[in-house]
Amino acid sequence: MADVQALLQDSGEPTLEQAIATAKERFHNVVLNIAITGESGVGKSSFVNAIRGLKNNDKAAAPTGITQTTTAPTKYPHETMQNIIFWDLPGIGDSTFTSSTYMKQFNFQNYDFFIIVSASRFKENDLFLANQIKKMNMKFYFVRTKVDLDVNDQEDMGVSEEDALQKIRKDCEKNLKSLKSSINPQVFLLTSRNLKRFDFQKFVEVLETDLPEHKRKALILSVPVYSQQFLQKKYKILKREVWAAAITSGGVGGIPMPGVSTVFDITLASASGEA
């Protein structure tokens, strides 16, 4: 009984019944649907794998290749948090999915936000997607992938990484302006090979700001750890929310959201060992 009273106090709710209801809402009703879109061959599937903490050759990874490998919206739940779902959408712009049919074939209103991916220059199809998403009053983000390859090429010519990144960023901004768009988005420079590099931290921070609180926490718990600071942030969320897990299941080991127990143990151990 003392344990229950302690959990009830941590929850901040006046009654056990209300605490249980709040706990169930936190862990069962928070679903985050993230759509990854863009033209074919830009690395969308690799990005889906990276943000789920997987390598391209892992068993549960999205198929990747030099040809079109995604022919229908494909659902990829997070490995340990099944309510965080990444949707790998088919590439727009080829003979199968033209801009005139793309929006009609896929239910864009079903997603929380969109990540428009490009590996070189953003094109008219990317801007078309952004404008259509904007019309629906939904969030979207431009992500420029494979930046590590460009940086390596520039370094071979004697250009520093900082100058190379600045050059790529300016090129992206100039490229989007050349499409004569009223959209003036921030472009995030990333590489799916190593999310710790470049703009991934900034990207996650922007997503955190834009999402409502309950979905923000779910995002933070699902994203791979890219820094000690982010590891501590995960740990603090888990520490605050563990009362809900315990009150719903009778203990951390039986948390009804798959993988949270493991994430808590790993995060706790990592935070304690590296702090």
Side-chain angles (χ1 to χ4, degrees), residues 29-275:
N29 297 337
V30 179
V31 177
L32 189 59
N33 287 290
I34 304 168
I36 316 297
T37 185
E39 291 199 334
S40 301
V42 296
K44 297 191 305 298
S45 298
S46 292
F47 179 74
V48 167
N49 293 334
I51 203 167
R52 293 164 65 220
L54 299 177
K55 296 180 180 179
N56 287 340
N57 59 355
D58 285 342
K59 186 176 180 180
T64 59
I66 58 175
T67 59
Q68 171 76 297
T69 56
T70 305
T71 57
T74 307
K75 177 180 179 179
Y76 292 102
H78 190 275
E79 282 293 275
T80 58
M81 299 177 64
Q82 299 293 303
N83 53 339
I84 311 298
I85 302 166
F86 298 90
W87 291 86
D88 190 1
L89 302 188
I92 185 174
D94 62 18
S95 58
T96 306
F97 301 103
T98 62
S99 59
S100 60
T101 61
Y102 197 81
M103 297 296 296
K104 296 177 182 178
Q105 289 181 274
F106 311 130
N107 296 319
F108 269 41
Q109 69 274 10
N110 291 345
Y111 307 109
D112 288 282
F113 61 87
F114 299 80
I115 300 174
I116 302 174
V117 179
S118 175
S120 54
R121 298 178 67 83
F122 291 99
K123 300 180 181 177
E124 290 184 4
N125 284 322
D126 299 315
L127 195 62
F128 167 81
L129 287 174
N131 281 315
Q132 294 301 311
I133 296 167
K134 185 179 180 182
K135 287 179 182 177
M136 295 186 290
N137 294 316
M138 301 180 77
K139 294 284 186 181
F140 63 91
Y141 307 90
F142 283 105
V143 164
R144 167 68 156 79
T145 61
K146 304 182 182 180
V147 171
D148 56 326
L149 301 179
D150 297 300
V151 167
N152 290 342
D153 288 342
Q154 290 292 307
E155 287 180 336
D156 288 343
M157 294 186 287
V159 180
S160 69
E161 178 176 306
E162 183 180 351
D163 289 342
L165 290 174
Q166 186 176 6
K167 182 178 179 180
I168 295 167
R169 201 180 305 280
K170 286 184 177 179
D171 182 66
C172 287
E173 293 170 356
K174 181 180 178 181
N175 165 216
L176 286 168
K177 287 180 181 177
S178 72
L179 296 174
K180 299 179 180 179
S181 168
S182 59
I183 296 174
N184 187 29
Q186 185 175 6
V187 178
F188 299 94
L189 309 182
L190 307 177
T191 170
S192 297
R193 296 170 184 265
N194 184 356
L195 293 181
K196 294 180 181 180
R197 299 186 69 185
F198 312 131
D199 288 345
F200 187 68
Q201 179 172 341
K202 186 188 302 182
F203 178 55
V204 173
E205 288 172 353
V206 170
L207 294 183
E208 287 181 53
T209 302
D210 289 349
L211 285 171
E213 183 181 4
H214 62 299
K215 294 199 174 188
R216 183 185 311 148
K217 291 177 180 178
L219 175 79
I220 292 171
L221 293 178
S222 71
V223 171
V225 173
Y226 54 81
S227 70
Q228 175 66 18
Q229 181 182 7
F230 189 70
L231 179 66
Q232 291 288 348
K233 185 182 292 187
K234 276 196 177 193
Y235 169 64
K236 288 178 181 177
I237 288 176
L238 286 164
K239 191 176 180 181
R240 285 197 303 266
E241 303 298 319
V242 74
W243 69 264
I247 217 166
T248 306
S249 63
V252 177
I255 293 175
M257 190 162 67
V260 173
S261 175
T262 302
V263 173
F264 183 82
D265 291 341
I266 292 173
T267 305
L268 177 61
S270 300
S272 299
E274 296 181 27

Side-chain angles (χ1 to χ4, degrees), residues 1-20 243 247:
M1 189 64 184
D3 290 340
V4 173
Q5 290 299 325
L7 289 171
L8 183 59
Q9 184 175 359
D10 287 343
S11 75
E13 300 293 348
T15 66
L16 181 60
E17 290 74 15
Q18 185 59 46
I20 291 172
W243 69 264
I247 217 166

